């Protein structure tokens, strides 16, 4: 696979999962404020697990995109002295 295509795909997944994480935080907020009960507890657990998994994937993608992006360009020429 072409590295440029792979980087674009990773960026698309990053933003898609970021939106999903935002929606899951909203859902988690709604579940926390719901009436207590067994269904609310199950919903809280499932939403929390899903949010943890999505945030983990977002972090992994962010690190992979950061490694794949080109670094800052260095200027060729004289190296400045630290002594002044």
């Amino acid at each position: 696979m072409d590295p440029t295509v792979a980087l674009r795909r990773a960026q698309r997944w990053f933003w898609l999962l970021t939106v999903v994480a935002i929606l899951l935080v909203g859902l988690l907020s709604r579940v926390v404020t719901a009436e207590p009960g067994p269904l609310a507890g199950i919903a809280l657990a499932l939403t929390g697990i899903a949010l943890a998994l999505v945030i983990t994937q977002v972090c992994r993608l962010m690190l992979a995109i950061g490694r794949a992006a080109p670094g800052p360009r260095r200027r060729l020429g004289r190296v400045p002295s630290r002594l002044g």
Side-chain angles (χ1 to χ4, degrees), residues 4-48:
T4 307
V5 174
L7 184 60
R8 281 193 203 130
R9 179 183 288 174
Q11 289 171 342
R12 272 194 307 257
W13 274 106
F14 172 80
W15 288 112
L16 176 71
L17 288 174
T18 301
V19 169
V20 170
I22 291 168
L23 294 174
L24 283 172
V25 167
L27 181 61
L28 189 65
S29 173
R30 183 167 279 207
V31 168
V32 166
T33 58
E35 289 291 322
L39 290 178
I42 292 170
L44 179 69
L46 292 177
T47 306

Side-chain angles (χ1 to χ4, degrees), residues 28-82:
L28 189 65
S29 173
R30 183 167 279 207
V31 168
V32 166
T33 58
E35 289 291 322
L39 290 178
I42 292 170
L44 179 69
L46 292 177
T47 306
I49 290 169
L51 182 61
L53 292 173
V54 168
I55 288 176
T56 301
Q57 276 303 111
V58 167
C59 291
R60 291 181 68 202
L61 281 168
M62 185 172 56
L63 290 173
I65 291 169
R67 275 187 245 119
R73 296 180 188 249
R74 293 187 178 187
R75 293 175 51 186
L76 299 177
R78 190 174 81 90
V79 177
S81 170
R82 290 185 180 202

